[in-house]
Structure formats: C-alpha cells, structure tokens
Amino acid sequence: MTLELTGKEIVYLYGLLKKDLDKLETAESSSSVKTDIKYHKILIKKLETSVPRLKNLPII
C-alpha cells in the first residue's frame, strides 16, 4: 500500500499523534488505552523512521 502525504500533512499528523500520546499516557489505564498507546507509538516510530527530522521538531 502506498500513501503519499505532503510534508505539512506528515508534520500535522506527527504532532497530533505526539500530543494525543501524551494525553493517553496520563489517562487512566485500561486495555483500550494501552492498545491506543501501543498503536500511537508504532505510528510515531514509522513516521520518525521515514522522516528522521521529525524528532527535532518542537511539538508543544
């Protein structure tokens, strides 16, 4: 499967995932939250592997 995204779209998605991950990690622990955390981390890792410069962005 091929997915083509612009640089802005990648940064936007990365930022959303990082912010949402922070919220999930501070939320009450449940199996669905743990699953969401797992998938957020997988997607973030894939984005960082594809675009290593994302790690250096100041995501607030």
Side-chain angles (χ1 to χ4, degrees), residues 4 9 14 35 39 43 50 57:
E4 293 184 27
E9 292 167 336
Y14 182 76
T35 301
Y39 282 113
L43 290 169
S50 297
L57 291 177

Side-chain angles (χ1 to χ4, degrees), residues 1-2 7 9 11-13 17 20 22 24 28 31 33 37-39 42 48 60:
M1 179 167 112
T2 301
E9 292 167 336
V11 170
Y12 177 77
L13 290 173
L17 286 167
D20 201 37
D22 287 340
L24 288 171
E28 286 189 34
S31 62
V33 171
I37 289 172
K38 175 184 168 186
Y39 282 113
I42 289 169
E48 289 175 346
I60 308 171

Side-chain angles (χ1 to χ4, degrees), residues 48-59:
E48 289 175 346
T49 300
S50 297
V51 186
R53 294 177 303 192
L54 288 173
K55 294 178 196 176
N56 300 327
L57 291 177
I59 304 295

